[in-house]
Amino acid sequence: MVTFDHREPGTAPAAWTTFLDTLTPEPVVLTGIDAVLVVAPHPDDETLGAGALIATAADAGLPVHVVLVSLGEGSHPDSPTTTASALATMRAAEFRAALAALHPDVTATTLGVPDVGLREQPDTLRDALTARLDATRGRTLLVAPWSGDGHRDHRVAGEVAQQVAAEDDGVTLLSYPVWAWHWDDAAAPTAPWSSARALPVDPAVLVRKRAALAAYRSQVLPLSPAPGDEAVVDERHAAHHLRTEEWFFAETPAASRSRESFDAHYDRKPEGWDFDGSWYERRKRAVTLAALPRERYRAALEVGCATGVLTAALTDRADAVLGTDIAAAPLARARTRAPRARFLQAAVPEEWPAGSWDLVVLSEIGYYLSQADLDRTIDHVLASLADDGVLVACHWRHPDDGAVSSGDAVDARLTERWPRPALVRHVEDDFVLSVLPGPSVTSVARAEGLAP
């Protein structure tokens, strides 16, 4: 998980210049593109990350639309001179002025999601992008923040854009960094520069990008001399974005996490994660077990069982339990920990175990799967789940460097693909848990005749 403070100096622009000079990126090409759709989590992200692309595409006669997720009212939480409401009004006006400076024909939609609140309502952005794409003819270039940028809203916006692009063959996705320039190390960068694309910026376009950024007075200048009113995008930070090239990453669908990476993890940490000692893990396990709508099950399947801590608990609730994991090392420990269960080394979805189940558990595994592999896993669950069975999915909601998506993205996809509404959906800051029912499952009270 990336943490940074925008008030710190951050990586020097000159250090990035030295690094960028070593690259031979492919150019950003607008040939064959019929429209451009830009995602901005906050006012000024569109200008910082893609202002030259917006202006260049509009100059070429392409329709350009910006989806503004929030009004960025949280930019100065410690300000003694203004309020979040006043900032929202100010930044909305700055956003309109900035787009006009880039090109007068650029259009925009504002979604009104609370600042730092996109994780709680990703469907608001997903629905807006899908609706816009459905109404657009031809191939669309979708431009969104890089999901590894370090800000929570940027991460979720990037993940939503990846999902939307993966589901639409008519969409090409480019991602832009904003805060990564500040916190990443130019000498050993973590951003995916092997997929870098560069847009040469015409001098006249750069003048317009500078004017657009200058329109964000609340961000590029201090609100007052008082502590808490400092500029968010000072000259040093702005210099990253006012180069003669605008930089993007070409997003391709992420592959599922490999068996080799899990083998290496268990070589370093034989117990994997602190399943036994951590109160967080023990509490989450108790919540998961309490969410099961039946007291007992005939046949349970746990996908990604790791060292078998949850598997052992499931043997008290099911006549037969099968645990699977992609790595061999944790299964040796699982067999000792849960002697009443069976275990199988298998990489889902390719190696889906045969059988019919009335309980399937996906705990902390979905975000290690690519979009395509997650969909195939959901298909396997639907095909092998008994009519009176349930799928229980529980996933961490914070960033995970080893994951290829997020717990929220997995839960959203499960919800979208599942034929019935969730029987249980528990959401807290740390994890999301959903119980998804088969066709004959009813509520616990109805099953016991306590409710009509």
Side-chain angles (χ1 to χ4, degrees):
M1 180 177 178
V2 174
T3 58
F4 62 88
D5 187 336
H6 74 270
R7 295 167 295 189
E8 295 294 327
T11 302
W16 282 115
T17 299
T18 299
F19 170 76
L20 296 173
D21 286 345
T22 69
L23 303 181
T24 53
E26 294 185 26
V28 173
V29 177
L30 295 176
T31 304
I33 297 297
D34 299 293
V36 176
L37 180 58
V38 179
V39 179
H42 316 95
D44 78 5
D45 287 330
E46 81 297 327
T47 297
L48 291 167
L53 177 56
I54 290 170
T56 302
D59 286 347
L62 297 177
V64 180
H65 189 83
V66 179
V67 175
L68 178 62
V69 177
S70 83
L71 292 177
E73 66 275 11
S75 66
H76 290 78
D78 301 320
S79 171
T81 64
T82 192
T83 64
S85 176
L87 276 168
T89 300
M90 190 184 314
R91 297 195 70 184
E94 291 171 346
F95 174 70
R96 293 190 295 271
L99 292 192
L102 291 173
H103 198 285
D105 292 342
V106 176
T107 58
T109 300
T110 302
L111 302 184
V113 174
D115 197 353
V116 199
L118 185 56
R119 189 179 75 171
E120 284 64 46
Q121 43 182 297
D123 287 346
T124 301
L125 176 57
R126 184 180 296 106
D127 292 346
L129 295 181
T130 301
R132 189 74 194 180
L133 291 169
D134 287 345
T136 302
R137 299 179 62 180
R139 174 161 288 278
T140 297
L141 178 61
L142 177 59
V143 185
W146 174 47
S147 60
D149 199 45
H151 188 291
R152 191 172 79 171
D153 282 345
H154 292 208
R155 172 178 64 83
V156 178
E159 291 171 352
V160 170
Q162 289 170 6
Q163 295 159 22
V164 170
E167 296 166 7
D168 192 328
D169 292 337
V171 173
T172 298
L173 177 62
L174 287 179
S175 297
Y176 58 83
V178 173
W179 288 111
W181 295 107
H182 177 76
W183 58 258
D184 204 0
D185 182 0
T190 60
W193 288 102
S194 61
S195 68
R197 301 290 186 271
L199 175 73
V201 180
D202 182 273
V205 168
L206 185 57
V207 169
R208 285 150 59 191
K209 181 172 179 175
R210 286 182 179 275
L213 185 55
Y216 286 108
R217 294 178 58 84
S218 70
Q219 304 302 295
V220 301
L221 299 174
L223 297 177
S224 81
D229 276 353
E230 298 87 355
V232 177
V233 183
D234 59 18
E235 290 186 6
R236 181 182 173 96
H237 186 73
H240 296 303
H241 303 276
L242 296 173
R243 300 177 180 275
T244 55
E245 303 90 13
E246 204 164 63
W247 292 87
F248 302 88
F249 305 126
E251 293 279 2
T252 56
S256 294
R257 186 170 170 180
S258 68
R259 173 173 278 150
E260 291 76 16
S261 72
F262 281 105
D263 288 342
H265 176 83
Y266 285 106
D267 283 343
R268 296 190 306 271
K269 301 174 67 176
E271 279 293 342
W273 290 263
D274 188 15
F275 297 117
D276 286 314
S278 164
W279 167 238
Y280 164 78
E281 291 288 349
R282 288 183 281 125
R283 175 182 173 273
K284 183 187 66 175
R285 192 158 57 249
V287 172
T288 301
L289 293 167
L292 299 180
R294 290 212 322 257
E295 187 173 7
R296 190 139 195 99
Y297 292 85
R298 298 182 300 276
L301 169 66
E302 184 188 3
V303 179
C305 66
T307 57
V309 180
L310 178 58
T311 324
L314 292 174
T315 60
D316 293 330
R317 301 285 297 272
D319 298 333
V321 179
L322 173 64
T324 74
D325 201 272
I326 192 173
L331 293 178
R333 293 177 178 267
R335 290 185 178 97
T336 300
R337 181 173 272 127
R340 288 183 288 162
R342 293 188 301 120
F343 293 96
L344 175 69
Q345 185 179 5
V348 297
E350 289 85 359
E351 300 170 321
W352 189 261
S356 176
W357 321 95
D358 59 342
L359 173 61
V360 177
V361 178
L362 298 178
S363 181
E364 312 296 2
I365 183 67
Y367 46 63
Y368 295 132
L369 300 175
S370 68
Q371 172 89 35
D373 283 348
L374 177 61
D375 279 349
R376 290 171 61 199
T377 299
I378 296 170
D379 291 339
H380 281 307
V381 175
L382 288 167
S384 60
L385 191 69
D387 284 355
D388 63 344
V390 295
L391 167 65
V392 179
C394 183
H395 290 91
W396 173 250
R397 299 187 70 206
H398 299 290
D400 179 341
D401 290 340
V404 300
S405 68
S406 67
D408 287 336
V410 171
D411 190 74
R413 189 59 173 170
L414 285 165
T415 301
E416 180 183 355
R417 291 285 317 280
W418 203 259
R420 295 185 62 196
L423 192 68
V424 176
R425 189 162 190 270
H426 172 84
V427 184
E428 55 183 78
D429 283 349
D430 298 324
F431 68 91
V432 54
L433 182 147
S434 291
V435 178
L436 301 166
S440 68
V441 176
T442 187
S443 75
V444 175
R446 287 191 179 93
E448 293 199 350
L450 302 176

